[in-house]
Amino acid sequence: MIPPGLRFQVGLPFPSSVFTGAFKDDYADNWAIVGPALEDLWERSVDDLLAVIPAADLALQWDLAYEVIDIEGVVGWTDGDAWERFAGPWSRLARRVPEDVLMGLHLCYGTFPEWPMYEARDMELIVRMANHAVADAGRPVDWIHLAGPRYLRSEEDAFFAPLADLDAPDSRIFLGIVLPLDGEDGLRRRHATASRHLTDFGVAMYCGMGRQRGEDPIATMRDHAATVAAVRG
């Protein structure tokens, strides 16, 4: 039985997270064609979702991974304005989601073929992207998920310091600091460090549950819930 009040969540990858290695040759020319086509597809997809799911029952999350590492300048085949590949589509797609639909934003550095695809120095970029997204959404951004550090940076104060500049007072913030590498102890360390720079936040897996330990998705979710409950308690 699904309790009343729970929403059906749909995650959509942002355009350049779809437009990746398959278009390495002549990237800029291909992006000029495929980028607008992907925006049109997602606009129609939002309409299709609303045709079958009442807005009050729907939650939609935009998933951005390649946008982040593209702006970091570590994607070898892209050229042109990486920030515009994020900000341009955001200014249009976010506004297409009715305010009755809960809308969230997921920013991370990806997990394929290795975790993470790029080891960030700190959270400065994803905080800057989150601030822009909130300011330019044209509607509320109900939640923001920000990827956490690698295991070796779990206790680095400098990694979490940019959280002090996060400007999203009306969004629920979730930090991806639950890692299968170190369970409850690691989560406690990262939570304590992040709390010096951000006072109110939830916690979640680093980047979804698709590549986590566990015999199956149910086991992974149970392990995740048990870790979070143990720390919260």
Side-chain angles (χ1 to χ4, degrees):
M1 172 68 78
I2 298 175
L6 291 186
R7 296 194 180 214
F8 184 79
Q9 180 173 320
V10 175
L12 293 177
F14 224 55
S16 64
S17 282
V18 179
F19 186 83
T20 55
F23 300 94
K24 289 182 180 180
D25 296 333
D26 299 320
Y27 183 89
D29 290 340
N30 287 326
W31 171 255
I33 298 169
V34 181
L38 288 170
E39 282 192 50
D40 177 68
L41 174 62
W42 290 159
E43 289 176 357
R44 288 185 285 112
S45 296
V46 170
D47 292 340
D48 289 345
L49 286 169
L50 290 169
V52 295
I53 305 173
D57 292 333
L58 179 62
L60 190 148
Q61 176 171 283
W62 298 108
D63 295 334
L64 284 71
Y66 268 91
E67 286 80 6
V68 178
I69 60 174
D70 188 15
I71 296 170
E72 284 278 12
V74 297
V75 181
W77 60 83
T78 63
D79 53 25
D81 191 337
W83 183 266
E84 177 59 24
R85 283 192 286 273
F86 150 64
W90 177 261
S91 68
R92 296 180 286 272
L93 289 174
R95 287 169 167 77
R96 287 299 299 265
V97 182
E99 291 193 21
D100 287 346
V101 177
L102 294 181
M103 186 180 77
L105 172 66
H106 166 73
L107 296 167
C108 81
Y109 284 82
T111 59
F112 183 81
E114 59 182 356
W115 169 83
M117 294 168 65
Y118 173 74
E119 182 181 4
R121 297 172 298 278
D122 55 40
M123 300 185 76
E124 188 276 331
L125 174 59
I126 55 177
V127 166
R128 178 156 49 96
M129 292 177 72
N131 287 347
H132 176 86
V134 169
D136 197 44
R139 53 144 294 157
V141 178
D142 297 289
W143 76 89
I144 302 171
H145 176 276
L146 303 173
R150 284 187 64 176
Y151 175 54
L152 295 177
R153 290 193 164 181
S154 291
E155 299 175 65
E156 283 190 4
D157 191 72
F159 182 89
F160 292 98
L163 286 171
D165 297 323
L166 185 62
D167 187 13
D170 298 321
S171 304
R172 297 184 65 185
I173 308 301
F174 296 88
L175 303 184
I177 57 176
V178 181
L179 308 182
L181 295 165
D182 53 14
E184 296 175 23
D185 290 340
L187 176 56
R188 290 182 192 278
R189 292 195 306 271
R190 286 182 287 278
H191 190 278
T193 305
S195 294
R196 291 199 285 269
H197 307 284
L198 189 68
T199 57
D200 184 15
F201 60 89
V203 299
M205 287 283 197
Y206 167 80
C207 181
M209 299 184 178
R211 297 181 182 90
Q212 308 298 335
R213 295 176 182 174
E215 296 179 0
D216 53 45
I218 295 297
T220 296
M221 287 189 285
R222 285 174 177 163
D223 289 346
H224 171 69
T227 297
V228 174
V231 172
R232 184 171 54 194

